[in-house]
Amino acid sequence: MRSTSKTTRATLIGLLAILLWSSIVGLIRGVSASFGATGGGALIYTVASILLLLTVGPSKVRAFPRAYLVLGSLLFVAYEMCLALSIGYANTNRQAIEVGMVNYLWPAFTMVSAIVFNGQRTTWLIAPGLALAIGGVCWVLGGDAGLDPAAMAANVRDNPLSYGLAFIGALIWASYCTVTARIANGSNGVTLFFMLTATALWIKYLALGGEPMRVDLRALVYLALAAAAMGFGYAAWNVGILHGNVTVLAGASYFIPVLSAALAALVLQTPLSLAFWQGAAMVCAGSILCWLATRRKA
């Protein structure tokens, strides 16, 4: 009975991580509005690193496999920089939410990557799942008209840097998930990786310059919330995966795109059209199909 209660509690903590991660897009955008894309990202990962040191603890670097230490850190830092900068560089709040949706192609890409590089068995569902996820993003980028190639192209041309970083980030995170599954050997380098991300963003800020920082109470609240969502999100997910119901957590995680859009729209006070929600639902459904395709013959 006690074991069941412990599992339930750990699962709830894991679900809290999903809620925290879903708030990231809106909170990063709120921080970047005051501190700039690079400076804001650097501050978020700096504070989050401190929180991780206090909760998860320092990474046991000496115990890491060398391949995981080198390749894992490079992929993690590259992804987190793509995520923070793609949202920070968005021209509008609506665009920041759309960029976040592009980033959520990573679950579908991860399944495809596992099939190609890890020999994961699959079924025919992988093809419609991937097509549905990509089609959902296209639907979102088409604006209020839905699937409109001309509107989608015009939207991307308005800010190719943000959309490009988000898409590259999705590919990088899929690679990270695939690679670390083979080389991590049970290691958890999240604290170290966050510290490296903060360092990389500060180097970019100091070397290339960044937007001026405007410090006020609202900005500090956004910073505290964003760092907590990042740091505590990873800490909570670690507890859920190790001691909770992994099946429940995996299934719930595929609804992050819709939940993230809803929270971002609330935080940024940005109304979203019916076409956007239709596209977000397609991204979720596509990711779930990809998951089912690999799960059936796992």
Side-chain angles (χ1 to χ4, degrees), residues 94 97-105 108-109 127-148 152 155 163 167 257-258 261 273-287 289:
R94 165 66 186 253
I97 299 174
E98 291 179 355
V99 164
M101 195 59 59
V102 174
N103 173 71
Y104 286 124
L105 281 172
F109 287 167
L130 183 61
L132 192 59
I134 294 175
V137 169
C138 293
W139 200 280
V140 166
L141 297 184
D144 295 343
L147 191 58
D148 185 338
M152 182 181 70
N155 202 3
Y163 290 113
F167 184 78
V258 169
S273 65
L274 175 61
F276 180 95
W277 293 113
Q278 290 171 337
M282 289 168 65
V283 173
C284 291
S287 297
L289 281 180

Side-chain angles (χ1 to χ4, degrees), residues 1 104 207 231 245:
M1 190 74 172
Y104 286 124
N245 188 318

